[in-house]
Each structure stands twice: as C-alpha cells, then as structure tokens.
C-alpha cells in the first residue's frame, strides 16, 4: 500500500512590497541570521537597498553571494563554500528558477533553513523541494529532491510586475500543464514527486490553477503591460507560483514535462524558456492523450492569446527535421521519463506522432 503524500512550503507570503516584511517573517518562523543571500547582479541592484534597510533596522546580519549563472553541480559547490564561509544561519535565494534552485541545493547541503524569493513568476519551482540540475552547457541533467520544502516563500508582486513580461507569460505556460499532468497521474495512480499518491488537496489545487489562469491570465497580462498590480495579476502570480508548484510536486508530472525535459537536449530549443517549452509540451500531451477538440482548443487558444508557443517553430524546432524530432521522442521514453506516468503505454513512435500532430494543429490555428 502506497501512502498519499502532500508537500508544500511551510509559509507562503505574497503582496506588493512584501520584501519589507522579510525580518518580521523570519522572526515569526524563528529563522536565525546571518542571512546568506544568493542572487544575480540585476536582482541585487533592485533589492539590495531594501534588504540593507529592513534587515539592518531589525539587526539581522546578511551577506550577498553572486549567482554563478547556471544551476550546475560546480556552481552549487561554490555557493555552498561561500555560504559556509559566511557562517550563514539561513540561505535566501532571490531571482529566477536557476538562482533559486542553486540556493535551495545550498541550503539542503548545509542543512540550513531556506527562504525562497522569486522575482519572476516564470516557473512552478519556487515552492517545491526540488532543484533542477543542468550541465555547464545548460542541458537538463535531472532533478534532486530534498527532504524539506522552503521554510518561507516570499513573493513581492511589485517586483514581479516590473520584471520581463515574457517570464510571466512563460509561468502561465508552466501552470497550464499542471492540471493535465495531475489528471494523468491520478488516472494511472502514479506516484508524485515526493514518493506518494496524490491527495485530494493536490489534485484540486491543480484544477484551481487551471481555472485561475484561464479566467484571469489574459487580464493579468494586460494589467502587467500597463504596469498595474491588480487582483487578477495577484491571482495569476499565485497560480504560477503556489498552485502550480503544489500541483506538480504533490500530484505529479506526466507527458508535458516529459516532453520539456526531452526537448532541452535539442539545441534549437535553448533560447526558449522552461514554461514556453512546457506550453508546447502541453499541446503534445493533449495530442498523445487524444483529448477532445474542445479541451485542446481552449488550451491552444489561451496560448495564442498570451503569446505562448503551440508549434515546433515556436520552440526553435522544425517539422522537417525528423532526426531531431525522433531523438526527442527517444529521450522522452527513456526509463524514468515522466511520459510513462500517462495511464497508457507510450512509445517513441507515439510521442513522435503526437509531436507532429500538435504542430499541425498549431499551424492550422494560425500560429507560426
Ligand atoms: Zn515546470
């Protein structure tokens, strides 16, 4: 008998200017300083003064560790050494997915609490206990699952609203996949990313994630472009970050992320963001499952409306490049690949056919 398992961050705090509540949140959770802050130069430039002011006022020591540029094993080892040398009591990661994962792996290695401050709502990873590991060249190598989820996820929507629109859109692509992968794992009774069956809570959160981005995603994007932090924007940030995060980790992943992982091995896709590749992965996922036209059309229309790719060309690939597409299909069906969480058997041939079918439908819908 396999247990049902649900994992999430201990505390999730979101709002405009939420960065200022960092010391209060730390005190509430009993997290000790000094804080080792891992971030890239842009985020340090954006938030450095706020950190200095609010942590200084609260008497919490902190130091900054520059992010090495890739979440690779050597970058993690360097960050661990720097945080250890700084005598860190808690590790804080601020930035995008790779910065956060490097900081998360550092905290796990040093057995320190972890504070996760996403500055873009571009992926479902901040709330999870997983770090995606890449090679020095940026090719997906696999993921590591640590025992603990973040002690605190602190989301400053004012910061996110000023970030790149493309990253926010990519986050909606990642969030679009959650419900379909959760349903696939439930149908096949596959284990989630934490080694248990999905709880009702996780599956329902996946459903709420889909409802939220479908009803508020287009509005939230328009609001962000106007520079306004509205309720719709707040809701979609939550969907991209919290709902999608819990959904994928505690309900499970299937074909959409399986395709994403296989696609990262194709050079043409390297300029696409995680959520952009996942969006096309959703189209392949739905084709593979032979979902009814109305389900596929709703998801595709959403992608077209917000600017997510629904064709091979959209993710830097070509329908004429059979060698590359067959290699992607082969990689997707390697043992342990998420496509095997689908409730039917999946072969390289069926994945290849689904890729072509999704691309045909995407082009027919008028996307390039
Ligand atoms: Zn994802």
């Amino acid at each position: 008998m396999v247990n049902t398992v649900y994992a999430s961050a201990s505390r999730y705090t979101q709002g405009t200017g939420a960065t200022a509540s960092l010391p209060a949140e730390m005190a509430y959770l009993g997290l000790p300083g000094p804080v080792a802050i891992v971030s890239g130069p842009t985020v340090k430039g954006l938030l450095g003064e706020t950190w200095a002011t609010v942590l200084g006022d609260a008497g919490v020591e902190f130091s900054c560790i520059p992010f090495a540029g890739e979440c690779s094993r050597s970058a993690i080892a360097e960050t661990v050494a720097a945080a250890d040398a700084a005598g860190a009591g808690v590790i804080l990661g601020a930035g995008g997915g790779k910065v956060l994962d490097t900081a998360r792996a550092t905290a796990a290695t040093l057995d320190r609490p972890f504070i996760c401050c996403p500055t873009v709502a571009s992926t479902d990873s901040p709330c999870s206990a997983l770090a995606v590991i890449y090679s020095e060249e940026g090719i997906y190598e696999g993921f590591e699952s640590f025992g603990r989820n973040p002690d605190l996820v602190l989301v400053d929507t004012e910061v996110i609203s000023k970030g790149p629109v493309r990253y926010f859109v990519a986050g909606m692509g990642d969030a679009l996949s959650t419900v379909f992968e959760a349903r696939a794992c439930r149908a096949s009774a596959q284990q989630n990313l934490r080694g248990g069956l999905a709880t009702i809570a996780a599956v329902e959160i996946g459903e709420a994630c889909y409802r939220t981005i479908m009803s508020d995603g287009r509005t939230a994007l328009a609001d962000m472009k106007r520079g306004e932090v509205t309720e719709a924007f707040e809701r979609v940030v939550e969907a991209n970050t919290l709902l999608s995060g819990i959904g994928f980790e505690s309900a499970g992943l299937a074909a959409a992320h399986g395709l994403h992982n296989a696609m990262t091995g194709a050079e043409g896709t390297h300029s696409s963001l995680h959520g952009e590749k996942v969006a096309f992965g959703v189209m392949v996922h739905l084709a593979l499952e032979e979902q009814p036209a109305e389900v596929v059309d709703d998801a595709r229309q959403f992608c077209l409306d917000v600017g997510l790719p629904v064709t091979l060309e959209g993710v830097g690939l070509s329908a004429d490049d059979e060698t590359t597409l067959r290699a992607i299909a082969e990689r997707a069906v390697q043992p342990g690949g998420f496509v095997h969480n689908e409730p039917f058997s999946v072969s390289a041939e069926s994945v290849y056919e689904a890729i072509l079918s999704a691309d045909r439908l995407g082009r027919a819908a008028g996307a390039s």
Side-chain angles (χ1 to χ4, degrees):
M1 174 85 184
V2 181
N3 293 331
T4 54
V5 175
Y6 174 90
S8 75
S10 299
R11 186 169 164 92
Y12 179 90
T13 301
Q14 176 185 312
T16 54
T19 305
S21 63
L22 175 61
E25 293 282 329
M26 284 179 63
Y28 180 80
L29 292 164
L31 301 179
V35 189
I37 300 177
V38 183
S39 72
T42 310
V43 169
K44 191 182 171 196
L46 197 67
L47 292 176
E49 247 175 65
T50 310
W51 289 328
T53 306
V54 300
L55 291 171
D57 288 350
V60 179
E61 278 179 57
F62 76 99
S63 58
C64 291
I65 300 173
F67 172 57
E70 189 58 78
C71 184
S72 63
R73 298 203 183 276
S74 64
I76 294 167
E78 270 175 42
T79 313
V80 165
D84 201 23
V90 58
I91 312 295
L92 184 153
K98 290 181 178 183
V99 180
L100 301 180
D101 281 3
T102 303
R104 185 191 321 279
T106 299
T109 306
L110 292 172
D111 194 21
R112 296 285 188 277
F114 176 51
I115 300 172
C116 189
C117 301
T119 56
V120 284
S122 63
T123 77
D124 54 15
S125 73
C127 293
S128 78
L130 273 67
V132 178
I133 311 293
Y134 292 87
S135 70
E136 304 295 326
E137 293 76 38
I139 295 170
Y140 173 82
E141 279 193 349
F143 65 86
E144 251 178 73
S145 181
F146 305 111
R148 286 208 310 248
N149 289 67
D151 294 81
L152 170 65
V153 176
L154 186 62
V155 185
D156 190 331
T157 38
E158 195 181 321
V159 172
I160 288 174
S161 75
K162 289 180 182 148
V165 166
R166 184 183 170 195
Y167 281 74
F168 180 68
V169 171
M172 292 197 280
D174 210 13
L176 181 68
S177 74
T178 309
V179 74
F180 300 116
E181 299 186 272
R183 287 175 188 166
C185 290
R186 184 179 51 184
S188 59
Q190 286 289 341
Q191 292 183 19
N192 60 29
L193 282 282
R194 304 311 297 274
L197 295 175
T199 53
I200 298 164
V203 174
E204 288 300 317
I205 284 171
E207 299 286 337
C209 183
Y210 183 76
R211 280 198 308 274
T212 305
I213 62 161
M214 292 301 274
S215 63
D216 290 324
R218 297 164 177 92
T219 310
L221 176 59
D223 296 342
M224 184 187 189
K225 285 178 177 169
R226 281 199 315 275
E228 286 176 28
V229 180
T230 58
E231 285 182 16
F233 182 77
E234 292 276 0
R235 283 195 291 270
V236 175
V237 169
E238 183 187 329
N240 288 8
T241 312
L242 180 65
L243 305 181
S244 183
I246 290 174
F248 99 81
E249 185 176 29
S250 286
L253 292 174
H257 272 77
L259 257 294
H260 164 273
N261 295 345
M263 278 191 280
T264 63
E267 208 171 330
T269 67
H270 288 183
S271 56
S272 296
L273 299 173
H274 172 84
E276 293 170 341
K277 288 191 281 277
V278 170
F280 181 66
V282 170
M283 297 304 124
V284 180
H285 177 124
L286 298 177
L288 196 61
E289 291 181 345
E290 298 178 4
Q291 288 285 347
E294 59 268 29
V295 174
V296 185
D297 290 349
D298 279 358
R300 186 190 307 103
Q301 192 56 51
F302 177 79
C303 290
L304 290 169
D305 289 348
V306 298
L308 284 164
V310 294
T311 62
L312 284 165
E313 202 186 327
V315 289
L317 297 168
S318 163
D320 300 328
D321 186 358
E322 184 176 341
T323 309
T324 298
L325 300 186
R326 287 210 181 267
I328 290 171
E330 285 293 341
R331 270 196 300 278
V333 298
Q334 290 301 303
F338 291 127
V339 294
H340 298 304
N341 287 350
E342 292 292 329
F344 46 83
S345 94
V346 176
S347 66
E349 188 61 31
S350 64
V351 172
Y352 176 70
E353 287 301 326
I355 291 172
L356 291 182
S357 161
D359 178 60
R360 265 195 308 274
L361 289 168
R363 278 187 286 147
S368 61

